[in-house]
Amino acid sequence: MVRTIASSLNPVDWKTRAWDRGPAFPMTLGWDLAGVVVRSTVPAFAAGDRVIAMSGQISTGLGTWADLVAVPAGLLTAAPARLPLVQAAALPSPGSPLGRRSTGSRRRRVSGSW
């Protein structure tokens, strides 16, 4: 369970609503969040950990525009330590293609840095 500190608004958020995709209404919208773990049943995360997540709302039915979100541990990752959570909330959806590219054996240079 994650207490949402910040969430972001991405094109996928308005498209979910405008194109009537995802779970039936009433539902909680939102794909990205940055927050603090308040309860965990997995050893990878403990109460107090700063995390970011992309909920995959259409497949999970979980929106992030809520105070508390029961995010599956597989969708969580540690938030960058040097980044305030309000800014970290903008990372999950836009950053997911970069994460997929950087998991291979070769590192790619992006915007002048590794």
Side-chain angles (χ1 to χ4, degrees):
M1 181 75 61
V2 177
R3 177 167 306 285
T4 303
I5 302 300
S7 186
S8 61
L9 180 61
N10 294 295
V12 70
D13 294 305
W14 68 262
K15 289 175 184 176
T16 299
R17 177 65 174 110
W19 296 346
D20 195 23
R21 299 283 189 247
F25 283 98
M27 70 169 165
T28 303
L29 294 171
W31 281 66
D32 298 339
L33 71 75
V36 177
V37 174
V38 294
R39 186 174 57 238
S40 176
T41 59
V42 298
F45 298 100
D49 287 352
R50 293 168 21 104
V51 295
I52 58 174
M54 182 173 71
S55 72
Q57 182 191 25
I58 290 176
S59 62
T60 66
L62 299 171
T64 61
W65 296 349
D67 290 334
L68 294 170
V69 182
V71 182
L75 298 177
L76 292 174
T77 192
R82 297 183 346 198
L83 196 61
L85 289 175
V86 171
Q87 293 174 353
L91 295 175
S93 290
S96 63
L98 175 61
R100 285 194 297 273
R101 284 190 200 112
S102 64
T103 57
S105 60
R106 288 186 289 155
R107 295 175 72 178
R108 296 176 187 227
R109 192 174 178 123
V110 179
S111 299
S113 63
W114 291 104

